[in-house]
Amino acid sequence: MTGPLLELDGVRKHYPVHEGLILRRQVGAVRAVDGVSLSIAAGETLAVVGESGCGKSTLARLALRLIAPSAGTIRFDGRDVTHDGRAALKPLRRQMQVIFQDPFASLNPRMSVEEILAEPMLVHGLGDAASRAARVRELLDLVGLARYHADRFPHEFSGGQRQRIGIARALALKPRLIVCDEPVSALDVSIQAQVVNLLKDLQAEFGLAYLFISHGLAVVRHMADRVAVMYLGEVVETAPVGALYAAPRHPYTQALLAAAPVPDPARRPARPALGGDVPSPMKPPAGCRFHTRCIVAQARCREEAPALRTLGPGHAAACHFAETVPAFTRLGAGERHARLQARLALYERKRAAMTATTAA
Amino acid sequence: MSEAVALTPEATPHAGFAVAARPSILRVLMREPVSAVALVVVALLVLAALLAPWLAPADPYAGDLANTLKAPGDGALLGTDGQGRDMVTRLLFGLRTTLAMSGVAVVIGCGLGGLVGFAAAYYPRVSGLLMRLMDVLLSFPAILFGLALTAIVGPGLTAVLLALSIATVPLMARVVRGAALVVLQQDYIEAARALGMGDGRILTKYVLLNCLSPIFVFVTLRFGQVILLGSLLSFIGLGAQPPTAELGAMASDGRNFLFFAPHVSVLPSLLIFVTVLAFTMLGDGLRDALDPRLRR
């Protein structure tokens, strides 16, 4: 493997908006994703973070080629799959799979767990009944479910267990890339820890690459190798996870990090948290898309759209003033705040407990 | 395996663990007295219609002009009609004709309507065209279809059958499209697409299976309505022609003797009433039984 596993190059997805019943004129377009370039290497986790409506989920569907981009190219393993039809994409489906946010909506309620897990193999015509049954048992073991769960139906499980079933289904075809669309946002914190650690273990075992869509900054910090921050359909900053959390350069990234709640009034950020709403993706602001909410915005930002500029190794931000933006001060001298610390400690404890049991 | 269980406290089996089987629809239905009665009545009616040739004490078409318009209990259990035919036999065969006619109309109408509904939900391109077409059909009352079709193919069961089928198509299409649209929004459809599944498999194994509840309820309720409409068309002379035993036609026959032999008209009307009521109650009961939020 030399090149990246998945590569998005200037990918756009515009949804046309029509008006009129008979003469359907196009009156505009929702620019859900507007010129995003990303790449994921094999075995790597790239997290995409951003507010609701910034195009994260559309990006996930584009990466999976469930929808076709309006412009740009998508390459998987060096092969251009941008314009492939359904038949041509079918082999690709074995290579990349998806895990959804809502574990209650992602499993067909009329199928037993065994049927759900055997379905991918049936669709791709793999194995016979016996080998599929064996693989189902193997998958259940992998995600920490019991074998007797195979005969049950999704409604008999808790949220965390359902998410495990979803992960097992994604693993069934032994993919190389899994797109995780907010995989833990719908779960309790303690269950989040279990699922996140399960994902990490599976990555270590099978060398999976993850495109990890999330708005949970603590989870991203724990999971990701690299992070891309999205705003209104564009990537505004990308950096290795350490650099992003320690020294965010884009005012939006800083605002996002500052918006994470701190349970201590004395340590509330000096800078005001982000005000206002995300502008409509139908009419994104001219110039820098963030200038309507940015605290350092100047006249230039209203006219000239900033390009992603490299600021350090693997670190790039799309801001005219990336070098001069005041340093991010909320966390003191690189110190993590208490809640985050507690959360990470919880993950680590669970992880340690798991490794201990596995070793035993 | 042991480690797997240790990982997930939620997955640990309880002591004396037993899976509570999902209560069957039938059992839930039988818990409600009204639906239970409705179900039993429907079952009895269908059975009686199916077994009519064996249950009936006499020939439904052999008149006996010496014994016309006998009151119930006077020789025959439910009396005789204007041509001296045994009423029990006539009612059994009438029920048979009515149920068969309605059944075929519901199957054809719901089959076509279902196809249209699924197509409209799954292929947004044709949705507008198909559903506007359904709206056009919906704007004509079933009676009007009956009149128009009798003008074309002549009065008889065929005309009624066609009219009822056509009147059912748009209603079913709407129900199915609505249900399918809800299901198509679910993540598991997207997951199926991400697996590379074809349209046919997604539609049958995912969409259809998850739309069964509303379809089931609609079909049962519609069956009752179709019986009523079919009897009505026969009553006004567009449907079954004499001497065919059909409940609506029989009720119509008896109108001439309404004052001195009311049973000839009243009995088939009562049977229509009971049948329609039973199907409607069953449909209501099914709707409640299939709604998981109402399950106890």
Side-chain angles (χ1 to χ4, degrees):
Chain A
M1 265 313 294
T2 44
L5 185 60
L6 177 75
E7 206 177 354
L8 307 181
D9 191 9
V11 168
R12 283 167 211 276
K13 180 69 189 178
H14 292 188
Y15 290 101
V17 179
H18 295 287
E19 207 169 67
L21 256 181
I22 298 154
L23 297 168
R24 290 182 26 101
R25 290 170 298 126
Q26 185 176 335
V27 293
V30 175
R31 302 167 169 216
V33 171
D34 209 9
V36 168
S37 301
L38 291 172
S39 68
I40 304 172
E44 184 191 36
T45 302
L46 172 70
V48 176
V49 297
E51 280 170 287
S52 310
C54 72
K56 290 176 303 201
S57 291
T58 307
L59 187 70
R61 275 149 190 76
L62 283 169
L64 286 163
R65 274 295 278 111
L66 285 173
I67 50 180
S70 316
T73 49
I74 300 171
R75 278 184 292 274
F76 189 87
D77 214 356
R79 193 169 74 85
D80 187 343
V81 296
T82 319
H83 304 290
D84 281 1
R86 182 183 306 194
L89 282 172
K90 201 162 176 185
L92 188 71
R93 303 277 174 233
R94 290 179 62 175
Q95 306 277 326
M96 55 186 185
Q97 275 300 309
V98 56
I99 301 170
F100 290 100
Q101 170 176 14
D102 183 357
F104 289 89
S106 60
L107 305 173
N108 185 348
R110 299 272 170 179
M111 289 164 81
S112 71
V113 171
E114 172 146 29
E115 288 171 312
I116 289 171
L117 296 185
E119 192 79 348
M121 294 173 265
L122 273 174
V123 169
H124 288 273
L126 304 177
D128 52 18
S131 70
R132 280 195 294 267
R135 176 78 179 141
V136 167
R137 285 195 296 276
E138 195 182 317
L139 288 167
L140 286 172
D141 290 352
L142 268 178
V143 299
L145 289 171
R147 292 186 177 183
Y148 62 78
H149 285 141
D151 300 326
R152 300 216 195 147
F153 285 85
H155 72 270
E156 296 174 81
F157 293 92
S158 70
Q161 287 174 317
R162 280 163 160 256
Q163 201 57 299
R164 286 167 190 274
I165 300 169
I167 294 171
R169 174 178 58 192
L171 286 175
L173 295 171
K174 303 184 178 163
R176 291 162 65 195
L177 170 72
I178 297 186
V179 175
C180 309
D181 189 3
E182 311 234 8
V184 296
S185 313
L187 306 174
D188 293 342
V189 174
S190 62
I191 308 292
Q192 280 189 14
Q194 291 179 7
V195 170
V196 163
N197 285 327
L198 174 64
L199 288 172
K200 283 205 99 165
D201 291 343
L202 293 170
Q203 180 169 41
E205 193 169 344
F206 300 111
L208 296 167
Y210 289 132
L211 175 62
F212 196 89
I213 314 278
S214 183
H215 57 240
L217 292 167
V219 173
V220 164
R221 184 170 198 161
H222 183 68
M223 274 297 291
D225 301 316
R226 286 190 302 128
V227 183
V229 181
M230 273 184 86
Y231 184 77
L232 265 186
E234 287 181 341
V235 171
V236 295
E237 181 162 10
T238 120
V241 67
L244 188 96
Y245 281 77
R249 296 313 308 165
H250 196 283
Y252 179 63
T253 314
Q254 299 188 346
L256 265 192
L257 289 173
V262 186
D264 177 2
R267 297 184 42 180
R268 292 262 159 86
R271 241 188 249 177
L274 208 51
D277 278 325
V278 184
S280 160
M282 256 182 86
K283 283 182 227 155
C288 173
R289 291 191 176 186
F290 187 56
H291 82 253
T292 51
R293 303 166 78 193
C294 183
I295 49 163
V296 298
Q298 299 187 10
R300 182 183 175 196
C301 303
R302 276 183 278 281
E303 280 143 27
E304 193 187 332
L308 263 181
R309 284 182 298 129
T310 308
L311 301 167
H315 195 155
C319 177
H320 295 307
F321 309 107
E323 289 85 355
T324 53
V325 167
F328 188 56
T329 49
R330 180 178 58 84
L331 300 179
E335 169 201 346
R336 298 169 174 183
H337 71 72
R339 186 165 169 268
L340 180 63
Q341 200 117 48
R343 187 92 160 263
L344 289 174
L346 175 66
Y347 289 162
E348 287 307 330
R349 267 208 308 282
K350 288 265 181 192
R351 209 171 154 64
M354 262 165 61
T355 337
T357 6
T358 318
Chain B
M1 204 44 234
S2 60
E3 106 230 9
V5 174
L7 293 184
T8 42
E10 335 137 56
T12 318
H14 309 293
F17 181 83
V19 189
R22 195 159 38 157
S24 74
I25 298 302
L26 204 63
R27 189 165 295 173
V28 177
L29 205 58
M30 293 304 273
R31 245 184 257 160
E32 196 67 48
V34 177
S35 345
V37 171
L39 183 64
V40 170
V41 171
V42 165
L44 285 178
L45 288 171
V46 171
L47 217 63
L50 284 176
L51 300 177
W54 295 276
L55 288 176
D59 182 335
Y61 299 110
D64 177 3
L65 294 177
N67 289 308
T68 58
L69 299 175
K70 291 273 191 195
D74 183 5
L77 182 62
L78 292 176
T80 58
D81 70 358
Q83 297 181 45
R85 294 173 295 204
D86 178 48
M87 278 304 283
V88 175
T89 310
R90 290 288 288 176
L91 287 174
L92 281 172
F93 276 87
L95 185 67
R96 190 175 160 92
T97 314
T98 303
L99 286 185
M101 173 186 78
S102 314
V104 173
V106 165
V107 167
I108 295 177
C110 289
L112 287 178
L115 282 181
V116 171
F118 279 125
Y122 202 73
Y123 303 104
R125 266 165 212 277
V126 295
S127 168
L129 183 70
L130 282 177
M131 292 323 281
R132 291 304 78 73
L133 212 64
M134 293 297 109
D135 287 346
V136 171
L137 284 184
L138 212 54
S139 62
F140 295 105
I143 307 277
L144 208 60
F145 281 125
L147 288 168
L149 281 162
T150 17
I152 299 167
V153 300
L157 284 177
T158 324
V160 174
L161 208 88
L162 285 174
L164 295 178
S165 307
I166 295 174
T168 304
V169 169
L171 297 170
M172 178 73 174
R174 284 190 157 194
V175 169
V176 168
R177 175 170 171 268
L181 281 179
V182 172
V183 173
L184 283 169
Q185 293 298 314
Q186 303 290 318
D187 282 344
Y188 54 78
I189 301 296
E190 192 119 68
R193 291 220 176 98
L195 285 176
M197 212 176 282
D199 286 356
R201 196 180 173 91
I202 292 182
L203 271 176
T204 49
K205 216 167 169 184
Y206 286 70
V207 184
L208 178 64
L209 266 181
N210 285 293
C211 290
L212 275 186
S213 300
I215 290 177
F216 212 34
V217 171
F218 173 79
V219 168
T220 316
L221 286 172
R222 185 65 189 161
F223 207 103
Q225 296 165 359
V226 163
I227 291 172
L228 199 58
L229 277 172
S231 309
L232 178 75
L233 287 172
S234 291
F235 184 86
I236 59 177
L238 301 178
Q241 299 300 306
T244 312
E246 199 280 337
L247 294 178
M250 286 163 64
S252 178
D253 278 349
R255 276 177 309 163
N256 304 328
F257 332 113
L258 204 54
F259 290 104
F260 46 97
H263 69 277
V264 181
S265 198
V266 168
L267 286 176
S269 306
L270 258 179
L271 193 54
I272 293 173
F273 170 72
V274 170
T275 315
V276 174
L277 190 67
F279 272 103
T280 309
M281 294 305 215
L282 183 63
D284 276 348
L286 268 177
R287 174 156 48 204
D288 294 348
L290 288 169
D291 188 342
R293 280 164 301 180
L294 295 175
R295 276 207 200 163
R296 277 154 295 169

